[in-house]
Amino acid sequence: MVNIRDVSKKAGVSVATVSRVLNNKDVKKETFEHVMSVMEEMKYKPNSVARSLSKKQTNTIALIFPVVSNPFFPKLASSIENEAHEKGYKVILCNTDDNPEKLRNFIDSINDGFADGVIFSSHLLDEAGLNTLKNSGIPVVSIDRNNFNNEFSSISVNNKMGGGLATEHLIEIGCKKIGHLRGPEDEITATNRYWGYRSVLKENGGMDPSLVALGYYTVEGGYQGMKELFIRHPDIDGVFAANDLTAIGAMKAAYEWNRKIPDDLSIVGFDGIDMVRYMIPSITTIQQPINEMGKLAVNELIRKIEEEDEEINNYELDVRLIQNDSTLR
Amino acid sequence: MVNIRDVSKKAGVSVATVSRVLNNKDVKKETFEHVMSVMEEMKYKPNSVARSLSKKQTNTIALIFPVVSNPFFPKLASSIENEAHEKGYKVILCNTDDNPEKLRNFIDSINDGFADGVIFSSHLLDEAGLNTLKNSGIPVVSIDRNNFNNEFSSISVNNKMGGGLATEHLIEIGCKKIGHLRGPEDEITATNRYWGYRSVLKENGGMDPSLVALGYYTVEGGYQGMKELFIRHPDIDGVFAANDLTAIGAMKAAYEWNRKIPDDLSIVGFDGIDMVRYMIPSITTIQQPINEMGKLAVNELIRKIEEEDEEINNYELDVRLIQNDSTLR
DNA sequence: ACATTATATGTAATCGGTTACAAGTATAAT
DNA sequence: ATTATACTTGTAACCGATTACATATAATGT
């Protein structure tokens, strides 16, 4: 592979000048063009590793994400990767599904200098992991997950509002007994969605803890949780599932129990993954602005990297209800 | 950040010795332990960029993938990332959905030295892109996509066999008129799946070109294609969809046309994405061994990188039929 | 014409590691 | 005791860029 010295020799200038051409610094126009043509001719590509070493910047973002279990995450990852590429950054992936040890490994190596910053979302990240990240000294943005101690910038959505929207919608279309399939108890997003549901039902005098079952943010969990709700409340006629996968599980349960959707049971999910449109009937959902979230995360991170800005910002984006057939009465 | 010289000073040895400790070369046991403890104490982490520069190895794989449109790809990406991590490699993502220019950009920068090898699957990669890859001189493995000229190692599945299995299954359960929703005409996987279908139907005397419609590997395509088939053949009672998304689209069409699945219309998909289990009824599919494919791709690539082995291997894995409710007669 | 300033380029140190080679020390062999 | 051999360690060049500083040249002012 041809390097900067080869170019400098052939062009009859110093390596510094070649470097200046590469970085658009002050060089005489003729020199610039001459060096450029030599680079062209020799098919020279500056080595990005060497560049990173001297600049102490890799233009790389590490993305710590649960990637497969829920299609929401690949979509978010994709929007992050797109925006990063747009801004000249590469993205290194660490998908953490169910593998805390792998995650620990990755986190431990994060301040090797290979990444300029981190975007993370894994709920697998425990206190120790968070501390390692914090102490690494590299900029971090958390996404889809609040951080109580305000240690990182964060991008999240108004989960409580979403839970409220979903529940209000179910009330509006005439549901009398509305259940909730909540996400994991240790996830703040799940808790907020639950609080949105809860506060709306309280206002309307219909809150009852037995109307809430765990759906664990999974299809299987939603299926099991919905069956529990059917047993506890045979007359349940609406359910707010904490995410779309859970809603799909609830649909499967409803089908087994011979409840017609939306007439016997209306369902609202959360996230806005493609799948909700493919189900029959299609599922009403609370849509998260995935693209905006990804862009915001990347730009906030890059701001921190390039401006060496320690300021912590917490963005909370709004969600909106997408009505589909599962609540069409 | 503490570097190797800081450690060498504090430990009272040369940087070479510290480096030897890092690389498990010959050092006296006591020295080894002493240096190790100093590194521990100073919380020293070797800088991976510097390391990459001198070793001329980044331990990084570039992954060129369509990542979001079809859940099959995130899953495959995930299995690749897992195996790579297992082997001490990082994965840089380039998702190409509908963005040929981005892809070109990425390809052009691939021999900057930031990646040791490439795994790619995008059908967006045109002749020019393939050439750039080929000329880059870095090891490449193609996945889920044959390469006629045998320029890269490849991992694929026996698509023709899959198409055959699907079609035979439909015949076995008693379908009399079996259609096919094929993938894009320029994709070799789609063509092979079609040939599997075609050869089985020919053997059974039931092949008729009008039984084939384009499904484009998408939900919408499957939906439109299925409607075409209903119009052309009102008595169609079985369909092999070239992938699971297409099968889902076909299901939606069947629902609109009031055909009961599986009794009026039996459906078989291809890929084995989670979604097929969530649909009601669940969809019979030809499952690809995603994990094996990912592992194989990574290991083949690493072999090429580390052994500087130019040998080209083409692996073709078997698929298997997973029977679900959409063909349960 | 000469001093001053701006512009363009080169020299060499640097980023943080690895490693070929040299040199020193300990152990075995004669 | 002396030489050969194995084992450890250090010195310094190197990977391929960037950049502070020095220097040379051109442009401007008086």
Side-chain angles (χ1 to χ4, degrees), chain A residues 1 45-50 52-53 58 68 74-75 78 81-82 85 90-95 102 105-106 108 111-114 219 248 251-252 255 275 277-280 282, chain B residues 1 45-50 52-53 58 68 74-75 78 81-82 85 90-95 102 105-106 108 111-114 219 248 251-252 255 275 277-280 282:
Chain A
M1 203 79 275
K45 287 268 175 58
N47 180 300
S48 65
V49 176
S52 296
L53 180 59
T58 56
V68 255
K75 268 222 148 162
S78 165
E81 198 271 324
N82 276 323
H85 186 265
K90 295 186 276 288
V91 171
I92 285 190
L93 193 65
C94 176
N95 67 303
K102 181 181 167 199
N105 242 284
F106 194 84
D108 281 343
N111 51 348
D112 278 7
F114 75 85
V219 176
I248 289 167
M251 240 175 95
K252 201 132 193 165
Y255 178 78
M275 241 191 279
R277 287 182 289 124
Y278 306 153
M279 299 303 290
I280 301 168
S282 58
Chain B
M1 202 80 278
K45 287 268 176 57
N47 180 301
S48 65
V49 176
S52 295
L53 180 59
T58 57
V68 255
K75 268 221 151 163
S78 165
E81 198 271 324
N82 276 322
H85 186 265
K90 296 186 275 287
V91 171
I92 284 189
L93 194 64
C94 175
N95 66 304
K102 181 180 168 199
N105 242 286
F106 194 83
D108 281 344
N111 52 346
D112 277 7
F114 75 85
V219 175
I248 289 168
M251 239 175 98
K252 202 133 192 166
Y255 179 78
M275 240 192 279
R277 288 183 287 122
Y278 306 153
M279 298 304 290
I280 301 167
S282 58

Side-chain angles (χ1 to χ4, degrees), chain B residues 67-123:
Chain B
V67 176
V68 255
S69 41
N70 184 345
F72 171 75
F73 290 107
K75 268 221 151 163
L76 192 45
S78 165
S79 88
I80 286 173
E81 198 271 324
N82 276 322
E83 182 68 11
H85 186 265
E86 204 70 30
K87 294 284 157 59
Y89 278 72
K90 296 186 275 287
V91 171
I92 284 189
L93 194 64
C94 175
N95 66 304
T96 60
D97 291 275
D98 309 321
N99 196 339
E101 200 199 340
K102 181 180 168 199
L103 177 58
R104 214 173 308 129
N105 242 286
F106 194 83
I107 293 276
D108 281 344
S109 74
I110 215 118
N111 52 346
D112 277 7
F114 75 85
D116 296 335
V118 181
I119 296 177
F120 80 93
S121 167
S122 179
H123 64 276

Side-chain angles (χ1 to χ4, degrees), chain A residues 4 10 38 40 101 117 124 140 142 147 150-151 166 178 200 227-228 248 251 262 269 285 292 322 326 329:
Chain A
I4 199 171
K10 184 144 192 171
V38 172
E40 195 93 344
E101 202 199 340
L124 288 177
V140 175
S142 109
N147 49 119
N150 240 49
E151 285 154 352
I178 301 170
V200 168
K227 287 208 294 191
E228 276 176 45
I248 289 167
M251 240 175 95
T285 190
E292 263 188 79
I322 306 290
S326 69
R329 284 198 176 174

Side-chain angles (χ1 to χ4, degrees), chain A residues 167 175-182 194 197-198 201-202 204-215 225-226 228-241 265:
Chain A
T167 314
C175 295
K176 299 295 174 218
K177 203 161 198 180
I178 301 170
H180 176 48
L181 293 165
R182 64 161 288 166
Y194 165 63
Y197 158 84
R198 184 189 150 108
L201 273 202
K202 270 204 166 160
N204 293 271
M207 182 56 202
D208 172 353
S210 69
L211 279 166
V212 178
L214 269 163
M226 195 65 230
E228 276 176 45
L229 291 184
F230 280 142
I231 292 168
R232 293 211 288 259
H233 297 279
D235 56 337
I236 191 169
D237 63 348
V239 66
F240 163 45
L265 181 75

Side-chain angles (χ1 to χ4, degrees), chain B residues 32-46:
Chain B
F32 185 92
E33 278 159 6
H34 173 228
V35 173
M36 278 300 262
S37 77
V38 172
M39 294 195 311
E40 194 93 345
E41 188 188 338
M42 301 180 81
K43 290 192 195 310
Y44 168 70
K45 287 268 176 57

Side-chain angles (χ1 to χ4, degrees), chain A residues 135-314:
Chain A
N135 298 329
S136 73
I138 88 175
V140 175
V141 168
S142 109
I143 199 166
D144 189 43
R145 161 176 177 152
N146 301 45
N147 49 119
F148 297 148
N149 311 342
N150 240 49
E151 285 154 352
F152 311 122
S153 283
S154 72
I155 318 292
S156 57
V157 296
N158 197 327
N159 287 294
K160 189 174 173 197
M161 169 181 132
L165 281 177
T167 314
E168 277 164 9
H169 177 65
L170 288 167
I171 291 174
E172 268 165 31
I173 63 169
C175 295
K176 299 295 174 218
K177 203 161 198 180
I178 301 170
H180 176 48
L181 293 165
R182 64 161 288 166
E185 294 188 301
D186 57 351
E187 286 203 44
I188 185 75
T189 55
T191 304
N192 286 334
R193 289 171 199 184
Y194 165 63
W195 276 91
Y197 158 84
R198 184 189 150 108
S199 66
V200 168
L201 273 202
K202 270 204 166 160
E203 271 170 31
N204 293 271
M207 182 56 202
D208 172 353
S210 69
L211 279 166
V212 178
L214 269 163
Y216 297 105
Y217 276 166
T218 65
V219 176
E220 178 61 22
Y223 172 76
Q224 297 295 348
M226 195 65 230
K227 287 208 294 191
E228 276 176 45
L229 291 184
F230 280 142
I231 292 168
R232 293 211 288 259
H233 297 279
D235 56 337
I236 191 169
D237 63 348
V239 66
F240 163 45
N243 75 358
D244 289 336
L245 292 181
T246 310
I248 289 167
M251 240 175 95
K252 201 132 193 165
Y255 178 78
E256 269 185 24
W257 285 63
N258 255 313
R259 309 288 173 108
K260 291 272 162 299
I261 296 168
D263 297 317
D264 302 338
L265 181 75
S266 291
I267 301 183
V268 180
F270 201 115
D271 280 351
I273 62 180
D274 291 339
M275 241 191 279
V276 298
R277 287 182 289 124
Y278 306 153
M279 299 303 290
I280 301 168
S282 58
I283 301 176
T284 295
T285 190
I286 304 295
Q287 183 160 59
Q288 302 201 46
I290 297 189
N291 267 317
E292 263 188 79
M293 292 170 78
K295 279 194 180 179
L296 207 50
V298 170
N299 290 320
E300 170 73 6
L301 186 64
I302 292 182
R303 214 205 67 239
K304 292 187 132 192
I305 293 170
E306 298 186 349
E307 302 177 12
E308 288 167 23
D309 182 350
E310 304 266 321
E311 194 188 335
I312 287 171
N313 295 308
N314 297 296

Side-chain angles (χ1 to χ4, degrees), chain B residues 117-175:
Chain B
V118 181
I119 296 177
F120 80 93
S121 167
S122 179
H123 64 276
L124 288 179
L125 209 51
D126 57 6
E127 208 55 43
L130 288 173
N131 278 328
T132 311
L133 265 190
K134 200 173 49 181
N135 298 330
S136 73
I138 86 174
V140 175
V141 168
S142 108
I143 199 167
D144 189 42
R145 162 176 179 153
N146 301 44
N147 51 118
F148 298 148
N149 311 343
N150 238 49
E151 286 154 353
F152 311 122
S153 282
S154 72
I155 318 293
S156 58
V157 297
N158 196 326
N159 288 294
K160 189 174 171 197
M161 169 180 133
L165 281 177
T167 314
E168 277 164 10
H169 177 64
L170 288 167
I171 293 174
E172 268 165 31
I173 62 169
C175 295

